[in-house]
Amino acid sequence: PPPLHRFPAPKAPPATSTPPKPPTFRQSADNMWSAQSSIITELLGEKLSSDPSLCPGHNACMVCGLSVPTPPVSCPECSSVVYCSEKCREVDRRNFQSTDEEDAQGHTSTVCAMLKKIRSPDRDSCRSELESYPSTLSNLLLSHPSFEEVVSAPSDNSSSKQHRRRFQVHVVGAEFGSELWTSKKSYGACPYQEAYADALDEVCEIGNISSFELVFVGIGLPSTSVQKLSGKVKALTVDCKYEEIDSSDAFVKEVPDLLVFFNAGFTCPDYDWAATLSSVMAKASSPIPFFGTSNSELENLNDMEWLNSKGFTSFNLDGDKDEDDNDEGEALACFFGENPFRGSRVRQSGMLANDLYVKSSFLFGGALKPSSVSAKKRKEQVTDNDFDDGEEEGFAEAPQKKFKNNSALI
């Protein structure tokens, strides 16, 4: 597969949307945008393994995982993390503190200060989170080398005069409060229709696109007729699972020009992403460009490994190019890295109370394989599994991949 590239430096965004520097525990709360700082003790790990519904710091003690009393013992400063006793609270506050940013874990003073701010988020950070969705989409199409040809290439069998008459993007798993927002909860942001129109008009001009079409698909969205957001930008919202979308709708292309997944969480067991992706890739005759976002680097790697394991992509997570594994027609380079167009609103994790994150902090993307190629890849993987013991001549046990794991996740 093509080598995996770190996200290159994009065009400089406007000064108002320049992301802050990466976080360290030495920074003040005002400058810090994200931190994963919980520590999983042996006892807490055992509790989580036996009861995945536990959310340490929320419905169980942050340190040991035991049930919390009523009323719970909580941090007196932020009141956002709960414990079973004052002893555990002191352990979380004191034992994992460190002046070394790589070792600082637990309920540090910085995390505590951030949690206090999270309870009353400012309008500017909330607005930046909403506007980061159209900003990420437009800036990737305009500045990332992987998408230059996607935007500028003409449609199949089209003349130069008809150059890319329609460019359609399917935003899968969309929801209000994220990719879309109402005027009542916009925190001063312009309506989502105006935000996407402003962000994508330049893409239309540069790509010579006469009709840029957005199809937002997600459970709970209001199904609407096609909305004209600007002279060239249109949008449609559909309330259903992606694999259930009405194929008779003349506006919706069976195979989009680009698939987008904002914070999809492909490894989440609550949704069958394999069925969703298979439904569109079964109709494709060539790879479909896509990109996704996640809240942390570990989630990014998990999503990429999941896509590989299902045969939808060939992310080269080792960074070495293997010519023998190249699939014919797969020319779009894979990429991953931090998202320079993310917002600045910091949120508290619902799974581990000491963890903080910013939505869409990381990016990954490339091309999804058609079903015929994916099926071939899966068949090859099954054949390869016959030699997992490494006893056949010419086969050796593959070296274990090692990734930098985040101690906040299991």
Side-chain angles (χ1 to χ4, degrees):
L4 189 65
H5 299 291
R6 285 281 183 178
F7 189 78
K11 294 178 181 178
T16 55
S17 62
T18 301
K21 295 179 180 179
T24 71
F25 288 93
R26 297 192 186 100
Q27 286 184 307
S28 68
D30 292 334
N31 293 330
M32 179 177 166
W33 64 268
S34 176
Q36 269 99 24
S37 63
S38 297
I39 187 167
I40 304 298
T41 62
E42 183 177 353
L43 177 59
L44 184 55
E46 292 175 356
K47 289 283 186 181
L48 287 171
S49 298
S50 61
D51 185 2
S53 66
L54 287 183
C55 298
H58 292 294
N59 62 7
C61 178
M62 184 69 245
V63 173
C64 65
L66 295 177
S67 59
V68 295
T70 304
V73 177
S74 60
C75 171
E77 296 294 328
C78 66
S79 302
S80 299
V81 184
V82 300
Y83 308 91
C84 66
S85 64
E86 292 186 5
K87 179 181 179 181
C88 277
R89 181 176 68 187
E90 184 63 18
V91 167
D92 196 31
R93 185 193 70 83
R94 183 185 60 193
N95 285 5
F96 307 129
Q97 300 273 359
S98 173
T99 57
D100 185 341
E101 62 194 55
E102 294 184 357
D103 296 332
Q105 294 182 318
H107 197 67
T108 66
S109 58
T110 306
V111 169
C112 186
M114 289 302 298
L115 287 172
K116 283 193 290 186
K117 290 175 68 70
I118 288 172
R119 299 185 68 177
S120 301
D122 62 273
R123 288 170 60 88
D124 288 343
S125 65
C126 294
R127 185 176 68 248
S128 73
E129 179 184 87
L130 296 175
E131 295 176 347
S132 69
Y133 294 98
S135 175
T136 297
L137 173 59
S138 63
N139 279 291
L140 273 182
L141 290 175
L142 289 172
S143 64
H144 197 281
S146 291
F147 294 121
E148 287 179 358
E149 294 186 4
V150 174
V151 174
S152 61
S155 300
D156 293 340
N157 302 321
S158 64
S159 64
S160 58
K161 188 176 181 180
Q162 296 291 324
H163 181 75
R164 191 59 85 176
R165 298 296 294 171
R166 295 178 65 194
F167 186 89
Q168 191 164 107
V169 177
H170 291 184
V171 183
V172 186
E175 59 182 14
F176 264 101
S178 296
E179 296 91 338
L180 307 171
W181 55 89
T182 63
S183 58
K184 293 182 179 180
K185 293 185 178 182
S186 63
Y187 302 99
C190 60
Y192 79 85
Q193 295 93 332
E194 183 180 336
Y196 280 99
D198 290 346
L200 297 171
D201 275 340
E202 185 180 358
V203 179
C204 294
E205 182 179 350
I206 293 177
N208 194 21
I209 298 170
S210 62
S211 180
F212 194 111
E213 301 164 355
L214 291 163
V215 179
F216 297 95
V217 185
I219 299 173
L221 292 183
S223 293
T224 63
S225 56
V226 177
Q227 306 175 70
K228 190 171 184 179
L229 309 188
S230 70
K232 295 183 178 181
V233 182
K234 301 174 183 178
L236 175 70
T237 60
V238 184
D239 175 19
C240 68
K241 293 182 178 180
Y242 189 71
E243 58 269 30
E244 299 171 355
I245 197 167
D246 185 4
S247 59
S248 64
D249 191 327
F251 180 77
V252 180
K253 288 185 177 182
E254 283 193 343
V255 180
D257 298 287
L258 177 69
L259 279 168
V260 176
F261 305 91
F262 285 111
N263 302 307
F266 292 125
T267 59
C268 179
D270 298 333
Y271 193 87
D272 186 6
W273 281 109
T276 296
L277 293 173
S278 296
S279 67
V280 65
M281 300 317 297
K283 305 169 186 175
S285 59
S286 59
I288 300 179
F290 85 100
F291 77 83
T293 66
S294 60
N295 299 331
S296 71
E297 186 174 16
L298 184 60
E299 289 178 49
N300 235 29
L301 288 170
N302 286 341
D303 283 347
M304 293 161 70
E305 285 200 310
W306 182 88
L307 288 169
N308 273 2
S309 69
K310 299 299 181 182
F312 293 116
T313 59
S314 294
F315 283 118
N316 188 344
L317 298 175
D318 289 329
D320 299 323
K321 188 171 183 178
D322 186 348
E323 298 290 346
D324 294 336
D325 287 339
N326 248 339
D327 290 310
E328 185 177 353
E330 186 177 9
L332 193 67
C334 305
F335 66 89
F336 79 101
E338 290 187 32
N339 179 11
F341 311 107
R342 62 180 177 262
S344 59
R345 181 178 182 178
V346 181
R347 292 177 174 269
Q348 182 184 27
S349 168
M351 298 180 66
L352 291 164
N354 275 340
D355 277 2
L356 312 175
Y357 69 94
V358 170
K359 281 189 172 182
S360 299
S361 292
F362 287 82
L363 289 163
F364 62 97
L368 295 172
K369 301 177 186 178
S371 290
S372 58
V373 178
S374 300
K376 177 183 176 183
K377 185 68 175 178
R378 284 193 291 268
K379 184 177 180 181
E380 290 172 352
Q381 289 174 343
V382 170
T383 304
D384 290 344
N385 287 339
D386 295 338
F387 304 100
D388 282 347
D389 55 8
E391 294 177 359
E392 290 290 331
E393 183 177 357
F395 287 85
E397 184 177 356
Q400 179 101 15
K401 289 181 182 178
K402 292 183 179 180
F403 298 107
K404 181 180 178 182
N405 288 325
N406 186 331
S407 63
L409 299 175
I410 296 181

